[in-house]
C-alpha cells in the first residue's frame, strides 16, 4: 500500500475497486476485451470470496417472490461451465467444478412439508426436481441418517471450490495484463475539480448530473486516474465516498460462519452430492470437495462488520450436520471462519451505471457472488464497452434505489 500522502503515478482505462471474485472476474474480462485495467485490492477479499461454500444453486435456493433473481441466477449457471473451462485453459488450474447435483433432505415431517411447498413452487417455475423417499436418499448418500424423512434431488445445482476458483481468477487477471495496486479505494473522484461524485465537497460540487468519474482515492493518500471506475467492493461498497447516499445505504454486511472439515486417513469420502438439510426448521448445508474437504455452513447474522467466530455457531452447525450425517463427528475440524456477504434490501445485486458518467457498480450479490461472477463480469464489460448487458439484469440496476428510493424495491422484482 502506498505511504500516506504519496501520489500513485498510475493511470488506466478502468479501475476496479475490490479484489474478490466479482472484482477480479471483471478485471480479467475487461483486460481480455482490450482495456487497460488496474485492480485496487485492499487484501480484504476474504471477507466473502474465500469464506464461502462455492454452491452454484439457483434451483435449491429459489424462493417465493424472487422470480427476477431466479432468472439472472439461471443465466449465471448456464454461463459458468464455459467461463470455468476458459479459466482452467488460461491458467492450467482446476477450479473444482462438480455437477453431481444437490440433494435437499428433511429431518422430520414438518421439515418435509416445508420442503414440498418449496419444491412445488420450484416446479411451477419450470425447474427440475425429483422427490425421493428416505431409502432413495440413503441410496444416493449412504452415510445419511435413517431418520431422514425424505428429500428432493436438484440435478441442476452444482458447486465449485471457491478458493481454487479465486486463485485461478487472480492468475488469469495477471496473465491478461491487469495491474494490481494494494490499497483500499476510499472515494470516487469526478472531473469537476476532484470532487466526489455525490458532491460531498460542498459549493464546488457539480450541479444537476454529477461530474464524470476521473479516478479514485486510496486509503494511503494516493490516487489512480482513469476513464471509468467499477465499485465491486462487496460488503464494503457502502464505505466508498462518492456514491449517492441511497446506494451506500443499500449495501450492508451479513455475517456468515462456516466450518471446513477434512477426512482422516483411511476414511472414504462421506459425500458425493451437496446436501442441503432442514433440521427442525433450521437450514444447514454440507458441500464436498474433490480433495476430501467438506464445507459446513452457514449462519446468517445481522451483526455489521463482525467477523468473529463464536462457539455457539460452531456448536449449532456441527449439531445440525451430525443430525443428518452422523459420520461428521469422525471428520477433522480443520478450520472455522466467518465472512461478510454484501446484502441488499431486496436480496438482489446492484449492477450497472447511473447518473454519474463513467461510474459503475457491481455489488450486493449476497449469497450468490461465486455463481454470478461470470455473468456480472459479462454485464459490466458490456457497459464499459458501450454494449447493452443481458436483459435479465434490467431489474438490478442502481436506479432502483437512486431513482425510486429504498421504498421502491418491491416493484423491481
Amino acid at each position: 500500500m502506498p505511504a500516506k500522502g504519496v501520489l500513485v503515478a498510475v493511470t488506466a482505462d478502468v479501475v476496479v475497486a475490490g479484489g474478490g471474485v466479482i472484482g477480479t472476474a471483471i478485471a480479467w474480462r475487461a483486460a481480455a476485451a482490450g482495456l487497460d485495467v488496474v485492480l485496487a485490492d485492499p487484501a480484504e477479499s476474504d471477507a466473502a470470496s474465500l469464506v464461502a461454500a462455492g454452491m452454484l444453486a439457483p434451483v435449491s435456493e429459489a424462493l417465493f417472490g424472487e422470480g427476477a433473481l431466479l432468472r439472472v441466477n439461471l443465466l449465471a449457471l448456464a454461463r459458468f461451465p464455459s467461463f470455468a473451462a476458459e479459466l482452467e485453459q488460461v491458467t492450467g488450474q482446476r477450479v473444482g467444478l462438480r455437477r453431481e447435483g444437490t440433494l435437499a433432505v428433511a429431518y422430520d415431517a414438518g421439515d418435509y412439508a416445508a420442503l414440498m411447498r418449496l419444491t412445488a413452487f420450484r416446479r411451477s417455475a419450470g425447474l427440475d426436481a425429483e422427490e425421493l423417499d428416505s431409502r432413495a436418499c440413503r441410496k444416493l448418500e449412504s452415510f445419511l441418517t435413517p431418520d431422514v424423512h425424505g428429500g428432493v434431488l436438484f440435478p441442476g445445482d452444482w458447486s465449485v471450490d471457491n478458493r481454487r476458483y479465486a486463485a485461478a481468477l487472480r492468475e488469469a487477471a495477471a496473465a491478461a495484463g491487469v495491474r494490481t495496486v494494494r490499497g483500499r479505494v476510499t472515494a470516487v473522484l469526478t472531473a469537476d475539480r476532484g470532487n466526489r461524485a455525490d458532491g460531498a465537497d460542498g459549493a464546488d460540487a457539480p450541479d444537476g448530473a454529477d461530474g464524470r468519474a476521473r479516478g479514485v482515492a486510496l486509503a494511503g493518500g494516493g490516487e489512480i486516474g482513469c476513464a471509468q471506475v467499477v465499485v465491486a467492493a462487496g460488503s464494503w461498497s457502502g464505505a466508498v465516498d462518492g456514491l449517492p447516499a441511497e446506494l451506500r445505504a443499500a449495501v450492508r454486511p451479513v455475517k456468515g460462519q462456516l466450518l471446513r472439515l477434512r477426512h482422516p486417513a483411511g476414511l472414504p469420502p462421506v459425500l458425493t452430492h451437496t446436501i442441503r438439510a432442514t433440521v427442525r426448521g433450521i437450514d444447514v448445508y454440507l458441500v464436498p470437495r474433490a480433495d476430501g474437504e467438506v464445507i459446513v455452513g452457514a449462519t446468517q447474522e445481522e451483526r455489521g462488520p463482525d467477523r468473529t467466530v463464536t462457539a455457539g455457531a460452531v456448536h449449532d452447525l456441527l449439531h445440525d450436520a451430525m443430525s443428518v450425517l452422523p459420520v461428521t463427528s469422525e471428520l477433522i475440524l480443520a478450520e472455522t471462519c466467518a465472512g461478510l456477504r454484501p446484502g441488499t434490501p431486496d436480496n438482489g445485486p446492484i449492477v450497472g451505471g447511473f447518473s454519474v458518467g463513467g461510474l459503475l457498480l457491481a455489488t450486493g450479490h449476497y449469497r450468490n457472488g461465486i455463481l454470478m461472477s461470470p455473468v456480472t463480469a459479462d454485464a459490466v464489460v458490456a457497459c464499459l464497452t458501450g454494449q447493452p448487458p443481458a436483459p435479465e439484469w434490467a431489474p438490478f440496476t442502481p436506479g432502483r434505489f437512486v431513482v425510486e428510493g429504498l421504498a421502491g424495491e418491491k416493484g423491481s422484482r
Side-chain angles (χ1 to χ4, degrees):
M1 183 178 293
K4 187 174 181 179
V6 175
L7 182 67
V8 178
V10 177
T11 60
D13 295 330
V14 180
V15 171
V16 179
V21 294
I22 297 293
T24 310
I26 291 168
W28 174 38
R29 300 317 301 162
L35 297 172
D36 180 27
V37 182
V38 169
L39 179 66
D41 181 5
E44 294 172 350
S45 57
D46 58 343
S49 298
L50 300 185
V51 187
M55 291 187 296
L56 311 176
V59 181
S60 61
E61 290 200 349
L63 299 176
F64 300 105
E66 293 189 345
L69 184 59
L70 173 60
R71 287 187 288 275
V72 77
N73 279 340
L74 290 173
L75 177 72
L77 187 70
R79 175 71 170 100
F80 207 95
S82 61
F83 188 88
E86 184 177 355
L87 190 58
E88 290 181 341
Q89 182 179 21
V90 167
T91 64
Q93 297 187 30
R94 307 295 292 178
V95 299
L97 181 63
R98 300 180 65 118
R99 308 193 198 197
E100 292 88 350
T102 292
L103 177 61
V105 298
Y107 185 74
D108 60 24
D111 298 330
Y112 187 74
L115 177 58
M116 288 302 101
R117 287 193 294 272
L118 276 172
T119 299
F121 156 69
R122 290 162 182 165
R123 280 180 169 158
S124 72
L127 305 176
D128 192 7
E130 179 185 353
E131 293 179 29
L132 304 172
D133 61 17
S134 178
R135 179 173 295 183
C137 289
R138 286 185 287 116
K139 187 175 181 180
L140 283 178
E141 295 293 348
S142 59
F143 286 100
L144 284 173
T145 176
D147 295 333
V148 164
H149 197 82
V152 179
L153 177 64
F154 298 105
D157 281 358
W158 306 333
S159 69
V160 70
D161 188 320
N162 61 301
R163 294 187 177 182
R164 291 175 182 266
Y165 178 67
L169 280 173
R170 290 192 294 270
E171 184 173 327
V178 174
R179 293 170 289 160
T180 297
V181 171
R182 291 298 177 193
R184 181 173 62 86
V185 170
T186 58
V188 176
L189 307 175
T190 67
D192 190 278
R193 302 181 188 177
N195 293 332
R196 293 174 173 84
D198 61 357
D201 288 347
D204 291 331
D207 294 325
D210 293 307
R212 184 175 180 85
R214 67 163 181 84
V216 298
L218 299 175
E223 297 179 3
I224 305 174
C226 61
Q228 299 186 88
V229 176
V230 180
V231 175
S235 61
W236 304 106
S237 298
V240 177
D241 288 341
L243 303 182
E246 301 95 332
L247 288 176
R248 297 182 67 185
V251 183
R252 73 188 191 283
V254 181
K255 180 181 178 181
Q257 301 185 58
L258 58 78
L259 316 175
R260 306 181 78 88
L261 310 179
R262 294 200 182 104
H263 290 68
L267 185 69
V270 299
L271 280 181
T272 301
H273 301 76
T274 292
I275 300 294
R276 299 185 70 98
T278 306
V279 181
R280 301 183 181 92
I282 304 299
D283 294 329
V284 65
Y285 55 73
L286 300 95
V287 185
R289 296 281 193 254
D291 61 4
E293 276 195 342
V294 176
I295 310 302
V296 179
T299 65
Q300 296 185 47
E301 307 169 50
E302 299 285 352
R303 296 184 179 275
D306 171 30
R307 294 182 59 197
T308 57
V309 174
T310 63
V314 174
H315 170 273
D316 292 347
L317 289 170
L318 286 174
H319 174 271
D320 293 340
M322 286 187 285
S323 294
V324 294
L325 197 76
V327 73
T328 300
S329 64
E330 300 182 32
L331 303 183
I332 299 166
L333 180 58
E335 183 181 349
T336 62
C337 47
L340 301 174
R341 310 178 188 94
T344 64
D346 60 7
N347 293 336
I350 305 173
V351 175
F354 53 104
S355 61
V356 181
L359 176 57
L360 301 171
L361 267 70
T363 187
H365 293 79
Y366 195 27
R367 300 186 306 266
N368 296 305
I370 303 289
L371 169 64
M372 298 179 72
S373 51
V375 289
T376 299
D378 291 345
V380 171
V381 172
C383 294
L384 290 171
T385 56
Q387 303 298 316
E392 288 86 350
W393 286 107
F396 301 109
T397 65
R400 74 188 193 275
F401 296 117
V402 176
V403 175
E404 299 175 358
L406 295 177
E409 83 264 15
K410 292 182 180 179
S412 67
R413 304 299 282 255

